[in-house]
């Protein structure tokens, strides 16, 4: 059996994007998710269902599927899985399965939005004023208008824009472990990026988030701005991230580049970066297998636009 790649999170936009990219490259894939009805399971040459990442049997279940299907590499598209895979990387290597995940400290600094803001502020990188409500912060301590959102969260769930202290108070009662940030205005962007194993910024693709639904970009356009890429490299260095990342921010109305979040995984808007010419999936897979990442393969074309449509999958 030829080498195959196991891709987790087959039910999410990032997992589907990675599976499609590998399929276009002629790579045999095994699609895996914790949901037996995940639509992306139909994309793989084989598929499997595993427990959620927090289940003690998660990595063992992944390993069993990978071994049975002849997979030599795992690509995780779910941030919560990364610490578990990192802990068991040597066990997986013993079975001939390569993984490449960031350090637990880097993942924690990305996934904890309060800590992320603190790390960037200490590094002198522009980020919105941020307050942790558990520390006694109130709206008057942060310049408005505001955003209230979970300290730990994804997909724009429970994110509330607020224009008055009363609205902030209303939102705080509805969000678990909330933080309060100054709300930015301007053009919102995401950068799909890759950092090599030595910590060198290998490349990235900035794209405007022209329309989003449920936190996922549905319309976008790639653009060129050296300030954005330089800033992304600084953000990833500050949190110590290696591997793949998607970094979000704004070019504000005052033409300042400000960074808001960093996810230690592939993004849901990845297809636009791939269509613009950057082989992020292929080069990340080289990194997984211990091969050098080729920055020359991460160039892209500005001005490429994406409009995303829904797609149905039928069975039975």
């Amino acid at each position: 059996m030829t080498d195959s790649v196991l891709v987790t999170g087959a039910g999410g936009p990032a997992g589907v994007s990675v599976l499609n990219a590998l399929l276009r490259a002629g790579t045999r894939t095994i699609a895996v998710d914790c949901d037996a009805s995940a639509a992306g399971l139909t994309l793989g040459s084989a598929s499997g269902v595993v427990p959620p990442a927090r289940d003690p049997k998660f990595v063992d279940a992944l390993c069993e599927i990978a071994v049975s299907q002849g997979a030599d590499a795992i690509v995780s598209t779910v941030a919560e899985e990364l610490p578990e895979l990192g802990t068991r990387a040597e066990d997986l290597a013993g079975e001939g399965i390569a993984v490449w995940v960031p350090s637990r400290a880097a993942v924690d600094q990305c996934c904890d939005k309060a800590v992320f803001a603190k790390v960037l502020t200490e590094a002198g990188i522009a980020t919105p004023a941020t307050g942790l409500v558990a520390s006694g912060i109130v709206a008057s301590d942060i310049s408005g208008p505001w955003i209230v959102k979970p300290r730990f969260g994804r997909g724009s769930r429970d994110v509330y824009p607020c224009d008055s202290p009363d609205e902030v108070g209303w939102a705080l009662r509805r969000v678990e472990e909330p933080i309060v940030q100054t709300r930015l205005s301007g053009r919102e962007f995401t950068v799909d990026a890759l950092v090599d194993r030595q910590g060198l910024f290998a490349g990235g693709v900035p794209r405007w988030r022209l329309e989003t639904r449920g936190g996922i970009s549905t319309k976008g356009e790639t653009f060129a701005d050296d300030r954005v890429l330089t800033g992304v490299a600084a953000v990833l260095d500050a949190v110590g991230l290696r591997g793949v990342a998607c970094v979000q921010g704004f070019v504000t109305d005052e033409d300042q580049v400000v960074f808001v979040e960093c996810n230690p995984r592939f993004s849901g808007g990845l297809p636009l970066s791939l269509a613009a010419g950057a082989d992020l999936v292929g080069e990340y897979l080289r990194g997984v297998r211990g091969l050098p990442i080729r920055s020359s393969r991460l160039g892209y074309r500005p001005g490429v636009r994406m409009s995303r449509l829904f797609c149905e999958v039928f069975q039975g």
Side-chain angles (χ1 to χ4, degrees):
M1 184 180 293
T2 59
D3 289 342
S4 304
V5 179
L6 186 151
V7 180
T8 73
V16 169
S17 299
V18 171
L19 284 163
N20 281 328
L22 292 172
L23 289 170
R24 287 193 296 271
T27 303
R28 183 176 182 275
T29 59
I30 302 99
V32 170
D33 200 274
C34 62
D35 179 2
S37 64
L41 293 176
T42 63
L43 295 174
S45 301
S47 63
V49 179
V50 296
R54 293 184 177 85
D55 190 302
K57 297 180 181 179
F58 166 70
V59 177
D60 290 331
L62 271 187
C63 184
E64 182 178 344
I65 294 171
V67 170
S68 69
Q69 292 295 328
D72 73 321
I74 292 176
V75 175
S76 171
T77 67
V78 182
E80 290 82 357
E81 296 173 353
L82 300 178
E84 309 307 320
L85 289 170
T87 299
R88 297 286 301 279
E90 290 188 6
D91 296 338
L92 291 167
E95 297 289 345
I97 305 163
V99 295
W100 179 26
V101 299
S103 68
R104 181 178 289 269
V107 173
D108 289 345
Q109 290 186 139
C110 291
C111 294
D112 185 330
K113 294 176 175 58
V115 171
F116 178 73
K118 183 174 183 290
V119 169
L120 263 58
T121 299
E122 292 177 348
I125 299 170
T127 194
T130 302
L132 180 61
V133 175
S135 301
I137 194 75
V138 294
S140 59
D141 297 321
I142 302 291
S143 298
W146 303 270
I147 283 282
V148 175
K149 60 186 177 182
R151 179 178 183 177
F152 306 95
R154 60 177 178 170
S156 294
R157 300 181 185 94
D158 297 324
V159 175
Y160 297 97
C162 302
D163 293 310
S164 70
D166 287 343
E167 289 183 0
V168 172
W170 178 90
L172 292 178
R173 294 190 292 272
R174 287 159 176 79
V175 178
E176 184 177 357
E177 291 192 78
I179 62 172
V180 180
Q181 290 184 321
T182 297
R183 190 170 83 231
L184 300 175
S185 60
R187 303 191 72 184
E188 188 177 6
F189 64 78
T190 293
V191 178
D192 294 309
L194 195 54
V195 178
D196 71 15
R197 287 181 177 269
Q198 288 70 48
L200 297 176
F201 182 73
V205 182
R207 49 185 172 82
W208 299 121
R209 290 164 65 90
L210 302 179
E211 178 184 273
T212 59
R213 296 180 183 178
I216 302 299
S217 178
T218 52
K219 293 181 181 178
E221 181 177 359
T222 58
F223 69 97
D225 190 327
D226 290 341
R227 299 175 305 163
V228 171
L229 287 180
T230 299
V232 167
V235 168
L236 297 176
D237 182 63
V239 297
L241 193 66
R242 306 287 188 272
V244 70
C246 61
V247 181
Q248 297 178 3
F250 284 79
V251 176
T252 69
D253 292 335
E254 294 75 32
D255 198 35
Q256 294 180 316
V257 178
V258 182
F259 295 96
V260 178
E261 293 188 12
C262 177
N263 297 300
R265 56 169 176 78
F266 285 108
S267 71
L270 176 67
L272 176 52
S273 294
L274 300 179
D279 187 15
L280 289 154
V281 175
E283 290 308 301
Y284 174 71
L285 185 56
R286 282 176 59 88
V288 172
R289 289 171 168 158
L291 299 172
I293 291 174
R294 300 167 296 187
S295 294
S296 60
R297 299 278 295 173
L298 299 177
Y300 72 98
R301 297 182 300 278
V304 179
R305 295 177 66 91
M306 174 189 74
S307 294
R308 171 172 274 159
L309 304 176
F310 292 106
C311 178
E312 292 75 30
V313 176
F314 300 99
Q315 296 174 284

